[in-house]
Amino acid sequence: MSNIDEARAQLEEGLFDTDSSNDGSDKSSSSDEESDDDTSSLLHLKPALKVGDKVVAAWWDVKGNEKKNTSDGRWFSGKVTAVKERDLFSGSRASNYGPIRVYDIHYDDGDKLEGVLDVFVCPEKDHDLETTTKSKDWKGVRNVKDKASSDRYSREIGWFVATIGGEEKSFATLYEAMKKSDEYTIQVKKGNIRE
């Protein structure tokens, strides 16, 4: 049984957290496949950013009555200044993927914003990779989402799977997945990478 079939079976058995408000029409995988190499623990599949981490995060002009944690934010570089973990936040529920994380961000331009939902905070290295490459160029790496999860991060952003030595390994960030994939390629090709 493939990892994808295993994940689908777990989804059907209710092992993935599903949102009761979901109409049930999208219980299977998204165009990005559902998969993970350690089905006993999904907690490592969301990045746990720490105070001081460089990020690119959404920003809303809350003084100008823009609603925070909506998809119409503008994205800017900054650093995490605080992290809070919650079970519920802004329509997202904690799930098998772990708690909902809410970050306080100090943007490079001096602005500050508290309570930015994890789905609106991207590790700087991932943002750089995602804006300078296309997913078709991620040799041996793909993005995976759990479209049935009530956890907005797992549903919209997901995680990354790299095929390393014929095995699929899951990573919370694109940077880590590509790094491990490249390290394996260098080891196998003895320095002659991506000919």
Side-chain angles (χ1 to χ4, degrees), residues 133-163:
T133 64
K134 295 180 180 171
S135 61
K136 67 180 178 125
D137 298 325
W138 304 344
K139 307 262 189 249
V141 175
R142 71 181 189 286
N143 184 223
V144 180
K145 300 173 186 173
D146 181 355
K147 291 290 192 179
S149 179
S150 64
D151 180 318
R152 190 169 176 184
Y153 192 94
S154 301
R155 188 175 64 240
E156 294 180 18
I157 307 299
W159 60 94
F160 300 89
V161 174
T163 304

PDB file of all heavy atoms in Angstrom, residues 133-163:
ATOM      1  N   THR A 133      11.295  30.148  -7.670  1.00  0.00           N
ATOM      2  CA  THR A 133      11.231  28.879  -8.395  1.00  0.00           C
ATOM      3  C   THR A 133       9.774  28.513  -8.643  1.00  0.00           C
ATOM      4  O   THR A 133       8.875  29.061  -8.012  1.00  0.00           O
ATOM      5  CB  THR A 133      11.898  27.732  -7.614  1.00  0.00           C
ATOM      6  OG1 THR A 133      11.167  27.503  -6.404  1.00  0.00           O
ATOM      7  CG2 THR A 133      13.347  28.023  -7.293  1.00  0.00           C
ATOM      8  N   LYS A 134       9.579  27.577  -9.526  1.00  0.00           N
ATOM      9  CA  LYS A 134       8.243  27.032  -9.775  1.00  0.00           C
ATOM     10  C   LYS A 134       8.231  25.600  -9.254  1.00  0.00           C
ATOM     11  O   LYS A 134       9.253  24.922  -9.266  1.00  0.00           O
ATOM     12  CB  LYS A 134       7.936  27.053 -11.265  1.00  0.00           C
ATOM     13  CG  LYS A 134       7.854  28.461 -11.797  1.00  0.00           C
ATOM     14  CD  LYS A 134       7.541  28.478 -13.269  1.00  0.00           C
ATOM     15  CE  LYS A 134       7.474  29.937 -13.705  1.00  0.00           C
ATOM     16  NZ  LYS A 134       7.385  30.112 -15.109  1.00  0.00           N
ATOM     17  N   SER A 135       7.075  25.136  -8.827  1.00  0.00           N
ATOM     18  CA  SER A 135       7.001  23.794  -8.237  1.00  0.00           C
ATOM     19  C   SER A 135       7.492  22.719  -9.204  1.00  0.00           C
ATOM     20  O   SER A 135       8.019  21.711  -8.762  1.00  0.00           O
ATOM     21  CB  SER A 135       5.590  23.485  -7.750  1.00  0.00           C
ATOM     22  OG  SER A 135       4.671  23.528  -8.815  1.00  0.00           O
ATOM     23  N   LYS A 136       7.374  22.939 -10.502  1.00  0.00           N
ATOM     24  CA  LYS A 136       7.878  21.942 -11.456  1.00  0.00           C
ATOM     25  C   LYS A 136       9.402  21.836 -11.408  1.00  0.00           C
ATOM     26  O   LYS A 136       9.972  20.853 -11.854  1.00  0.00           O
ATOM     27  CB  LYS A 136       7.404  22.263 -12.879  1.00  0.00           C
ATOM     28  CG  LYS A 136       7.996  23.526 -13.450  1.00  0.00           C
ATOM     29  CD  LYS A 136       7.489  23.782 -14.858  1.00  0.00           C
ATOM     30  CE  LYS A 136       8.079  25.089 -15.332  1.00  0.00           C
ATOM     31  NZ  LYS A 136       8.786  25.073 -16.523  1.00  0.00           N
ATOM     32  N   ASP A 137      10.065  22.847 -10.846  1.00  0.00           N
ATOM     33  CA  ASP A 137      11.523  22.834 -10.721  1.00  0.00           C
ATOM     34  C   ASP A 137      12.002  22.190  -9.417  1.00  0.00           C
ATOM     35  O   ASP A 137      13.200  22.044  -9.210  1.00  0.00           O
ATOM     36  CB  ASP A 137      12.085  24.256 -10.817  1.00  0.00           C
ATOM     37  CG  ASP A 137      11.789  24.904 -12.152  1.00  0.00           C
ATOM     38  OD1 ASP A 137      11.782  24.177 -13.174  1.00  0.00           O
ATOM     39  OD2 ASP A 137      11.557  26.120 -12.183  1.00  0.00           O
ATOM     40  N   TRP A 138      11.087  21.811  -8.540  1.00  0.00           N
ATOM     41  CA  TRP A 138      11.451  21.198  -7.261  1.00  0.00           C
ATOM     42  C   TRP A 138      11.681  19.711  -7.494  1.00  0.00           C
ATOM     43  O   TRP A 138      10.856  18.881  -7.148  1.00  0.00           O
ATOM     44  CB  TRP A 138      10.362  21.382  -6.214  1.00  0.00           C
ATOM     45  CG  TRP A 138       9.945  22.781  -5.919  1.00  0.00           C
ATOM     46  CD1 TRP A 138      10.609  23.938  -6.236  1.00  0.00           C
ATOM     47  CD2 TRP A 138       8.752  23.185  -5.252  1.00  0.00           C
ATOM     48  NE1 TRP A 138       9.898  25.022  -5.802  1.00  0.00           N
ATOM     49  CE2 TRP A 138       8.750  24.585  -5.189  1.00  0.00           C
ATOM     50  CE3 TRP A 138       7.684  22.501  -4.704  1.00  0.00           C
ATOM     51  CZ2 TRP A 138       7.731  25.322  -4.599  1.00  0.00           C
ATOM     52  CZ3 TRP A 138       6.659  23.222  -4.115  1.00  0.00           C
ATOM     53  CH2 TRP A 138       6.692  24.617  -4.064  1.00  0.00           C
ATOM     54  N   LYS A 139      12.791  19.359  -8.062  1.00  0.00           N
ATOM     55  CA  LYS A 139      13.099  17.968  -8.415  1.00  0.00           C
ATOM     56  C   LYS A 139      13.000  17.074  -7.175  1.00  0.00           C
ATOM     57  O   LYS A 139      13.705  17.268  -6.202  1.00  0.00           O
ATOM     58  CB  LYS A 139      14.496  17.861  -9.008  1.00  0.00           C
ATOM     59  CG  LYS A 139      14.740  18.793 -10.172  1.00  0.00           C
ATOM     60  CD  LYS A 139      14.564  18.085 -11.470  1.00  0.00           C
ATOM     61  CE  LYS A 139      15.016  18.954 -12.609  1.00  0.00           C
ATOM     62  NZ  LYS A 139      13.996  19.413 -13.454  1.00  0.00           N
ATOM     63  N   GLY A 140      12.088  16.106  -7.227  1.00  0.00           N
ATOM     64  CA  GLY A 140      11.942  15.154  -6.133  1.00  0.00           C
ATOM     65  C   GLY A 140      11.222  15.693  -4.916  1.00  0.00           C
ATOM     66  O   GLY A 140      11.174  15.035  -3.879  1.00  0.00           O
ATOM     67  N   VAL A 141      10.634  16.901  -5.018  1.00  0.00           N
ATOM     68  CA  VAL A 141       9.934  17.510  -3.883  1.00  0.00           C
ATOM     69  C   VAL A 141       8.557  17.970  -4.360  1.00  0.00           C
ATOM     70  O   VAL A 141       8.424  18.515  -5.455  1.00  0.00           O
ATOM     71  CB  VAL A 141      10.719  18.723  -3.326  1.00  0.00           C
ATOM     72  CG1 VAL A 141       9.941  19.422  -2.224  1.00  0.00           C
ATOM     73  CG2 VAL A 141      12.087  18.288  -2.814  1.00  0.00           C
ATOM     74  N   ARG A 142       7.536  17.719  -3.535  1.00  0.00           N
ATOM     75  CA  ARG A 142       6.198  18.186  -3.875  1.00  0.00           C
ATOM     76  C   ARG A 142       5.474  18.689  -2.632  1.00  0.00           C
ATOM     77  O   ARG A 142       5.800  18.312  -1.512  1.00  0.00           O
ATOM     78  CB  ARG A 142       5.404  17.099  -4.576  1.00  0.00           C
ATOM     79  CG  ARG A 142       5.001  15.961  -3.695  1.00  0.00           C
ATOM     80  CD  ARG A 142       4.232  14.886  -4.475  1.00  0.00           C
ATOM     81  NE  ARG A 142       3.683  13.906  -3.589  1.00  0.00           N
ATOM     82  CZ  ARG A 142       4.386  12.967  -2.969  1.00  0.00           C
ATOM     83  NH1 ARG A 142       5.675  12.893  -3.147  1.00  0.00           N
ATOM     84  NH2 ARG A 142       3.797  12.115  -2.155  1.00  0.00           N
ATOM     85  N   ASN A 143       4.489  19.542  -2.856  1.00  0.00           N
ATOM     86  CA  ASN A 143       3.661  20.098  -1.794  1.00  0.00           C
ATOM     87  C   ASN A 143       2.455  19.183  -1.580  1.00  0.00           C
ATOM     88  O   ASN A 143       1.875  18.683  -2.540  1.00  0.00           O
ATOM     89  CB  ASN A 143       3.204  21.498  -2.202  1.00  0.00           C
ATOM     90  CG  ASN A 143       2.415  22.210  -1.124  1.00  0.00           C
ATOM     91  OD1 ASN A 143       1.411  22.830  -1.430  1.00  0.00           O
ATOM     92  ND2 ASN A 143       2.845  22.155   0.114  1.00  0.00           N
ATOM     93  N   VAL A 144       2.095  18.953  -0.318  1.00  0.00           N
ATOM     94  CA  VAL A 144       0.976  18.086   0.037  1.00  0.00           C
ATOM     95  C   VAL A 144       0.065  18.857   0.979  1.00  0.00           C
ATOM     96  O   VAL A 144       0.539  19.569   1.867  1.00  0.00           O
ATOM     97  CB  VAL A 144       1.483  16.798   0.733  1.00  0.00           C
ATOM     98  CG1 VAL A 144       0.329  15.890   1.097  1.00  0.00           C
ATOM     99  CG2 VAL A 144       2.486  16.077  -0.146  1.00  0.00           C
ATOM    100  N   LYS A 145      -1.254  18.718   0.777  1.00  0.00           N
ATOM    101  CA  LYS A 145      -2.236  19.393   1.628  1.00  0.00           C
ATOM    102  C   LYS A 145      -3.292  18.391   2.074  1.00  0.00           C
ATOM    103  O   LYS A 145      -3.579  17.436   1.361  1.00  0.00           O
ATOM    104  CB  LYS A 145      -2.906  20.531   0.852  1.00  0.00           C
ATOM    105  CG  LYS A 145      -1.930  21.583   0.383  1.00  0.00           C
ATOM    106  CD  LYS A 145      -2.598  22.590  -0.519  1.00  0.00           C
ATOM    107  CE  LYS A 145      -1.551  23.544  -1.085  1.00  0.00           C
ATOM    108  NZ  LYS A 145      -2.129  24.437  -2.083  1.00  0.00           N
ATOM    109  N   ASP A 146      -3.866  18.635   3.235  1.00  0.00           N
ATOM    110  CA  ASP A 146      -4.985  17.838   3.722  1.00  0.00           C
ATOM    111  C   ASP A 146      -6.234  18.707   3.593  1.00  0.00           C
ATOM    112  O   ASP A 146      -6.575  19.469   4.493  1.00  0.00           O
ATOM    113  CB  ASP A 146      -4.745  17.410   5.168  1.00  0.00           C
ATOM    114  CG  ASP A 146      -5.876  16.555   5.720  1.00  0.00           C
ATOM    115  OD1 ASP A 146      -6.897  16.378   5.014  1.00  0.00           O
ATOM    116  OD2 ASP A 146      -5.744  16.073   6.852  1.00  0.00           O
ATOM    117  N   LYS A 147      -6.897  18.605   2.453  1.00  0.00           N
ATOM    118  CA  LYS A 147      -8.052  19.460   2.151  1.00  0.00           C
ATOM    119  C   LYS A 147      -9.227  19.247   3.104  1.00  0.00           C
ATOM    120  O   LYS A 147     -10.114  20.085   3.174  1.00  0.00           O
ATOM    121  CB  LYS A 147      -8.517  19.231   0.705  1.00  0.00           C
ATOM    122  CG  LYS A 147      -7.547  19.746  -0.331  1.00  0.00           C
ATOM    123  CD  LYS A 147      -7.529  21.241  -0.321  1.00  0.00           C
ATOM    124  CE  LYS A 147      -6.792  21.759  -1.539  1.00  0.00           C
ATOM    125  NZ  LYS A 147      -6.768  23.200  -1.575  1.00  0.00           N
ATOM    126  N   ALA A 148      -9.245  18.150   3.841  1.00  0.00           N
ATOM    127  CA  ALA A 148     -10.355  17.857   4.748  1.00  0.00           C
ATOM    128  C   ALA A 148     -10.093  18.365   6.166  1.00  0.00           C
ATOM    129  O   ALA A 148     -10.976  18.293   7.015  1.00  0.00           O
ATOM    130  CB  ALA A 148     -10.624  16.354   4.782  1.00  0.00           C
ATOM    131  N   SER A 149      -8.917  18.877   6.449  1.00  0.00           N
ATOM    132  CA  SER A 149      -8.575  19.294   7.808  1.00  0.00           C
ATOM    133  C   SER A 149      -9.269  20.591   8.196  1.00  0.00           C
ATOM    134  O   SER A 149      -9.455  21.487   7.373  1.00  0.00           O
ATOM    135  CB  SER A 149      -7.058  19.484   7.922  1.00  0.00           C
ATOM    136  OG  SER A 149      -6.725  19.909   9.229  1.00  0.00           O
ATOM    137  N   SER A 150      -9.621  20.703   9.463  1.00  0.00           N
ATOM    138  CA  SER A 150     -10.154  21.964   9.989  1.00  0.00           C
ATOM    139  C   SER A 150      -9.014  22.926  10.316  1.00  0.00           C
ATOM    140  O   SER A 150      -9.250  24.086  10.610  1.00  0.00           O
ATOM    141  CB  SER A 150     -10.989  21.708  11.241  1.00  0.00           C
ATOM    142  OG  SER A 150     -10.156  21.182  12.257  1.00  0.00           O
ATOM    143  N   ASP A 151      -7.783  22.442  10.262  1.00  0.00           N
ATOM    144  CA  ASP A 151      -6.606  23.266  10.497  1.00  0.00           C
ATOM    145  C   ASP A 151      -6.294  23.987   9.181  1.00  0.00           C
ATOM    146  O   ASP A 151      -5.916  23.364   8.192  1.00  0.00           O
ATOM    147  CB  ASP A 151      -5.439  22.377  10.921  1.00  0.00           C
ATOM    148  CG  ASP A 151      -4.167  23.150  11.183  1.00  0.00           C
ATOM    149  OD1 ASP A 151      -3.838  24.075  10.419  1.00  0.00           O
ATOM    150  OD2 ASP A 151      -3.486  22.798  12.150  1.00  0.00           O
ATOM    151  N   ARG A 152      -6.475  25.288   9.187  1.00  0.00           N
ATOM    152  CA  ARG A 152      -6.328  26.072   7.952  1.00  0.00           C
ATOM    153  C   ARG A 152      -4.937  25.944   7.346  1.00  0.00           C
ATOM    154  O   ARG A 152      -4.785  25.889   6.128  1.00  0.00           O
ATOM    155  CB  ARG A 152      -6.663  27.541   8.254  1.00  0.00           C
ATOM    156  CG  ARG A 152      -6.788  28.378   7.031  1.00  0.00           C
ATOM    157  CD  ARG A 152      -7.366  29.732   7.355  1.00  0.00           C
ATOM    158  NE  ARG A 152      -7.378  30.545   6.145  1.00  0.00           N
ATOM    159  CZ  ARG A 152      -7.759  31.798   6.117  1.00  0.00           C
ATOM    160  NH1 ARG A 152      -8.181  32.387   7.222  1.00  0.00           N
ATOM    161  NH2 ARG A 152      -7.726  32.468   4.994  1.00  0.00           N
ATOM    162  N   TYR A 153      -3.892  25.893   8.179  1.00  0.00           N
ATOM    163  CA  TYR A 153      -2.520  25.771   7.673  1.00  0.00           C
ATOM    164  C   TYR A 153      -2.351  24.473   6.883  1.00  0.00           C
ATOM    165  O   TYR A 153      -1.840  24.474   5.765  1.00  0.00           O
ATOM    166  CB  TYR A 153      -1.500  25.840   8.816  1.00  0.00           C
ATOM    167  CG  TYR A 153      -0.094  26.002   8.303  1.00  0.00           C
ATOM    168  CD1 TYR A 153       0.466  27.263   8.187  1.00  0.00           C
ATOM    169  CD2 TYR A 153       0.655  24.911   7.883  1.00  0.00           C
ATOM    170  CE1 TYR A 153       1.749  27.433   7.678  1.00  0.00           C
ATOM    171  CE2 TYR A 153       1.933  25.061   7.371  1.00  0.00           C
ATOM    172  CZ  TYR A 153       2.467  26.329   7.275  1.00  0.00           C
ATOM    173  OH  TYR A 153       3.731  26.484   6.753  1.00  0.00           O
ATOM    174  N   SER A 154      -2.782  23.368   7.453  1.00  0.00           N
ATOM    175  CA  SER A 154      -2.639  22.060   6.793  1.00  0.00           C
ATOM    176  C   SER A 154      -3.498  21.970   5.537  1.00  0.00           C
ATOM    177  O   SER A 154      -3.137  21.303   4.582  1.00  0.00           O
ATOM    178  CB  SER A 154      -3.018  20.945   7.756  1.00  0.00           C
ATOM    179  OG  SER A 154      -2.205  21.003   8.894  1.00  0.00           O
ATOM    180  N   ARG A 155      -4.612  22.675   5.542  1.00  0.00           N
ATOM    181  CA  ARG A 155      -5.532  22.656   4.411  1.00  0.00           C
ATOM    182  C   ARG A 155      -5.049  23.551   3.264  1.00  0.00           C
ATOM    183  O   ARG A 155      -5.166  23.188   2.095  1.00  0.00           O
ATOM    184  CB  ARG A 155      -6.917  23.110   4.883  1.00  0.00           C
ATOM    185  CG  ARG A 155      -8.014  22.972   3.873  1.00  0.00           C
ATOM    186  CD  ARG A 155      -9.385  23.322   4.448  1.00  0.00           C
ATOM    187  NE  ARG A 155      -9.476  24.708   4.853  1.00  0.00           N
ATOM    188  CZ  ARG A 155      -9.745  25.130   6.093  1.00  0.00           C
ATOM    189  NH1 ARG A 155      -9.936  24.263   7.060  1.00  0.00           N
ATOM    190  NH2 ARG A 155      -9.818  26.410   6.364  1.00  0.00           N
ATOM    191  N   GLU A 156      -4.497  24.732   3.586  1.00  0.00           N
ATOM    192  CA  GLU A 156      -4.133  25.694   2.543  1.00  0.00           C
ATOM    193  C   GLU A 156      -2.654  25.705   2.184  1.00  0.00           C
ATOM    194  O   GLU A 156      -2.296  25.918   1.037  1.00  0.00           O
ATOM    195  CB  GLU A 156      -4.563  27.099   2.972  1.00  0.00           C
ATOM    196  CG  GLU A 156      -6.059  27.245   3.069  1.00  0.00           C
ATOM    197  CD  GLU A 156      -6.491  28.640   3.501  1.00  0.00           C
ATOM    198  OE1 GLU A 156      -5.686  29.577   3.405  1.00  0.00           O
ATOM    199  OE2 GLU A 156      -7.648  28.774   3.934  1.00  0.00           O
ATOM    200  N   ILE A 157      -1.778  25.516   3.162  1.00  0.00           N
ATOM    201  CA  ILE A 157      -0.333  25.564   2.926  1.00  0.00           C
ATOM    202  C   ILE A 157       0.233  24.154   2.831  1.00  0.00           C
ATOM    203  O   ILE A 157       0.958  23.829   1.910  1.00  0.00           O
ATOM    204  CB  ILE A 157       0.403  26.343   4.050  1.00  0.00           C
ATOM    205  CG1 ILE A 157      -0.204  27.726   4.248  1.00  0.00           C
ATOM    206  CG2 ILE A 157       1.894  26.403   3.757  1.00  0.00           C
ATOM    207  CD1 ILE A 157      -0.141  28.645   3.055  1.00  0.00           C
ATOM    208  N   GLY A 158      -0.072  23.327   3.802  1.00  0.00           N
ATOM    209  CA  GLY A 158       0.372  21.938   3.788  1.00  0.00           C
ATOM    210  C   GLY A 158       1.821  21.765   4.194  1.00  0.00           C
ATOM    211  O   GLY A 158       2.386  22.558   4.938  1.00  0.00           O
ATOM    212  N   TRP A 159       2.419  20.694   3.677  1.00  0.00           N
ATOM    213  CA  TRP A 159       3.805  20.350   3.992  1.00  0.00           C
ATOM    214  C   TRP A 159       4.465  19.876   2.710  1.00  0.00           C
ATOM    215  O   TRP A 159       3.844  19.890   1.650  1.00  0.00           O
ATOM    216  CB  TRP A 159       3.871  19.307   5.107  1.00  0.00           C
ATOM    217  CG  TRP A 159       3.197  18.010   4.801  1.00  0.00           C
ATOM    218  CD1 TRP A 159       3.779  16.882   4.291  1.00  0.00           C
ATOM    219  CD2 TRP A 159       1.811  17.678   4.970  1.00  0.00           C
ATOM    220  NE1 TRP A 159       2.851  15.875   4.138  1.00  0.00           N
ATOM    221  CE2 TRP A 159       1.628  16.344   4.542  1.00  0.00           C
ATOM    222  CE3 TRP A 159       0.711  18.386   5.439  1.00  0.00           C
ATOM    223  CZ2 TRP A 159       0.393  15.696   4.582  1.00  0.00           C
ATOM    224  CZ3 TRP A 159      -0.517  17.743   5.471  1.00  0.00           C
ATOM    225  CH2 TRP A 159      -0.663  16.419   5.058  1.00  0.00           C
ATOM    226  N   PHE A 160       5.704  19.439   2.804  1.00  0.00           N
ATOM    227  CA  PHE A 160       6.472  19.074   1.625  1.00  0.00           C
ATOM    228  C   PHE A 160       7.018  17.659   1.767  1.00  0.00           C
ATOM    229  O   PHE A 160       7.465  17.276   2.843  1.00  0.00           O
ATOM    230  CB  PHE A 160       7.600  20.081   1.391  1.00  0.00           C
ATOM    231  CG  PHE A 160       7.045  21.464   1.182  1.00  0.00           C
ATOM    232  CD1 PHE A 160       6.818  22.307   2.261  1.00  0.00           C
ATOM    233  CD2 PHE A 160       6.693  21.897  -0.089  1.00  0.00           C
ATOM    234  CE1 PHE A 160       6.258  23.564   2.075  1.00  0.00           C
ATOM    235  CE2 PHE A 160       6.135  23.146  -0.282  1.00  0.00           C
ATOM    236  CZ  PHE A 160       5.923  23.980   0.795  1.00  0.00           C
ATOM    237  N   VAL A 161       6.960  16.911   0.686  1.00  0.00           N
ATOM    238  CA  VAL A 161       7.454  15.535   0.665  1.00  0.00           C
ATOM    239  C   VAL A 161       8.594  15.463  -0.336  1.00  0.00           C
ATOM    240  O   VAL A 161       8.454  15.895  -1.480  1.00  0.00           O
ATOM    241  CB  VAL A 161       6.335  14.544   0.289  1.00  0.00           C
ATOM    242  CG1 VAL A 161       6.889  13.133   0.136  1.00  0.00           C
ATOM    243  CG2 VAL A 161       5.228  14.568   1.336  1.00  0.00           C
ATOM    244  N   ALA A 162       9.721  14.925   0.124  1.00  0.00           N
ATOM    245  CA  ALA A 162      10.887  14.719  -0.737  1.00  0.00           C
ATOM    246  C   ALA A 162      11.123  13.227  -0.887  1.00  0.00           C
ATOM    247  O   ALA A 162      11.022  12.472   0.087  1.00  0.00           O
ATOM    248  CB  ALA A 162      12.122  15.381  -0.127  1.00  0.00           C
ATOM    249  N   THR A 163      11.420  12.803  -2.098  1.00  0.00           N
ATOM    250  CA  THR A 163      11.777  11.407  -2.336  1.00  0.00           C
ATOM    251  C   THR A 163      13.294  11.305  -2.227  1.00  0.00           C
ATOM    252  O   THR A 163      14.031  11.897  -3.015  1.00  0.00           O
ATOM    253  CB  THR A 163      11.302  10.940  -3.724  1.00  0.00           C
ATOM    254  OG1 THR A 163       9.896  11.169  -3.802  1.00  0.00           O
ATOM    255  CG2 THR A 163      11.603   9.473  -3.938  1.00  0.00           C
TER     256      THR A 163
END
